[in-house]
Amino acid sequence: MVRDKAETKARILAAVGRLLAESGFRSLGVNAIAREAGVDKVLIYRYFEGLPLLLQSFAQEGDYWPTVDELVGDESAVNAETLADWMAYLLSRFSDQLQERPMTQEILRWELLEGNELTRELANVRDKFALDSLNFLAEKESFPPDKDIPAISAVLVAGVVYLMLRTKSSSTFMGIDFSSPAGWQRIQAALDTIVQLTVDGKP
Amino acid sequence: MVRDKAETKARILAAVGRLLAESGFRSLGVNAIAREAGVDKVLIYRYFEGLPLLLQSFAQEGDYWPTVDELVGDESAVNAETLADWMAYLLSRFSDQLQERPMTQEILRWELLEGNELTRELANVRDKFALDSLNFLAEKESFPPDKDIPAISAVLVAGVVYLMLRTKSSSTFMGIDFSSPAGWQRIQAALDTIVQLTVDGKP
DNA sequence: TATCATGGTCACCGAGCGGTGACAAGCCCG
DNA sequence: CGGGCTTGTCACCGCTCGGTGACCATGATA
């Protein structure tokens, strides 16, 4: 209708994003995308040579992960001194950022369910972001040699991610109610407790 | 072929379990189940009144969660004194049990992706198991009032579950390689560190 | 004005899905 | 023996899916 290839391609890519954020990756079919974009599906094949390459294009363009700078925010305004302070702060920010990014949540779900080439690529991007964050921490204060800070971080981040992904479909986990802010505050407090006692505590 | 209603029903239920463990919940369709069971799909409708009730039957019969007794194992042989010792022990056992139960992993994935009546029921069963475990801990040694042991447990269990579910499709997380035992040993050690320093540490 | 590549529309294909109606084979009980 | 019930088989429906070929519309160029 518009006779503009670039715009049509952009429309299709935008439709992928909308569909992903709203309905999850299971609804990412050629028909659904074309419908959402208001475009004939044959154009998907013409412009992207099929769904896999379309998704790959989307993965390269989309900014579903924050940069470390975005994660940290205004560094001078952060009231953190010790390594534990910084870890707790980053965890808290990570949790907030993740909550605001349904598309990112959906990608994490996707990684969990399907091990294809695309999700592996997405996982690489995510892991790069994670390592950047670890490096940022290490520059603040070098890691204590007697504790495996990356492994500890992995457990805590994994916990946050899992709890976050759960809340969409189920509201309680281990007796904690995540439908109210109170539940999340308990988790937040628990994270603080863990980080402070584990990272700064004497070995 | 066998003209035995009870056995046919059992076959169908068994097929659900096999299919779930091997191919995940996304392949749980009427056609696939009937094929796997070597049974005409019309019998599923006759005997279970459709897929939802079949899955409900399966959920009630299947033992995808261990009991707390199974989780603990031979209690007298456990070398644990403090609350932290017990928590670390249970976490470790939980991790092992989960690794051995692909069907349980698949149910956890399912809970994460779909919020229907069935998964909510499954979530209830799981949460009951979790609360039983917490009660078991509380009987060993009452929780310190200045720490939110359930919330701390939730974070750690969530972390273990997430890392476990990831390993099927992706082998690294935050730079840790989970394809080798070494990666898991780091996680195990991190959990021990966290629990010991957090639960037994001074507030 | 005629040509021709580009961008878009439409109709169709085979396959798999969930779901149903009609019918055949075996069995119990009169 | 002969109804009637149970158990299982088969064929079919409508729908959506991914994927493709044929065609129409537009606009630049010769």
Side-chain angles (χ1 to χ4, degrees), chain B residues 42-88:
Chain B
V42 81
L43 300 181
I44 290 179
Y45 292 97
R46 275 232 267 274
Y47 294 157
F48 295 96
E49 302 169 30
L51 213 162
L53 287 185
L54 165 59
L55 295 182
Q56 191 173 315
S57 289
F58 175 78
Q60 287 166 4
E61 307 234 342
D63 60 333
Y64 28 86
W65 288 105
T67 64
V68 176
D69 284 346
E70 283 180 279
L71 184 68
V72 174
D74 183 4
E75 194 168 338
S76 62
V78 179
N79 181 22
E81 299 188 352
T82 65
L83 177 59
D85 289 345
W86 277 107
M87 272 186 67

Side-chain angles (χ1 to χ4, degrees), chain B residues 1 3 8 46-47:
Chain B
M1 200 60 129
R3 293 195 69 75
T8 301
R46 275 232 267 274
Y47 294 157

Side-chain angles (χ1 to χ4, degrees), chain A residues 5 9 12 30 41-57:
Chain A
K5 179 172 173 177
K9 287 182 74 171
I12 294 174
V30 181
K41 66 177 171 178
V42 81
L43 300 181
I44 291 179
Y45 291 97
R46 255 194 232 156
Y47 294 158
F48 297 96
E49 302 168 32
L51 215 161
L53 286 185
L54 165 58
L55 295 183
Q56 192 173 315
S57 289

Side-chain angles (χ1 to χ4, degrees), chain A residues 162 173, chain B residues 94 98 108 156-166:
Chain A
Y162 184 71
F173 184 75
Chain B
F94 175 73
L98 188 55
L108 285 168
L156 299 182
V157 169
V160 168
V161 169
Y162 186 71
L163 294 177
M164 191 71 76
L165 295 187
R166 283 197 59 80

Side-chain angles (χ1 to χ4, degrees), chain A residues 26 109 111-114 120 126-127 148 151 159 161 166 169 172-176 186 194 197-198, chain B residues 26 109 111-114 120 126-127 148 151 159 166 169 172-176 186 194 197-198 202:
Chain A
R26 274 161 316 169
R109 281 200 182 81
E111 282 183 29
L112 219 49
L113 259 282
E114 276 171 40
R120 261 184 284 276
R126 182 190 36 66
D127 232 37
D148 191 347
V161 169
R166 283 197 59 80
S169 54
T172 80
F173 184 75
M174 291 191 72
I176 296 179
R186 285 178 69 184
I194 291 173
L197 292 180
T198 303
Chain B
R26 274 161 315 172
R109 281 199 183 81
E111 284 183 28
L112 218 49
L113 261 282
E114 276 172 38
R120 263 184 281 276
R126 182 189 37 66
D127 233 37
D148 192 347
R166 283 197 59 80
S169 53
T172 81
F173 185 74
M174 292 189 72
I176 297 178
R186 284 178 69 185
I194 291 173
L197 292 180
T198 303
K202 303 293 170 289

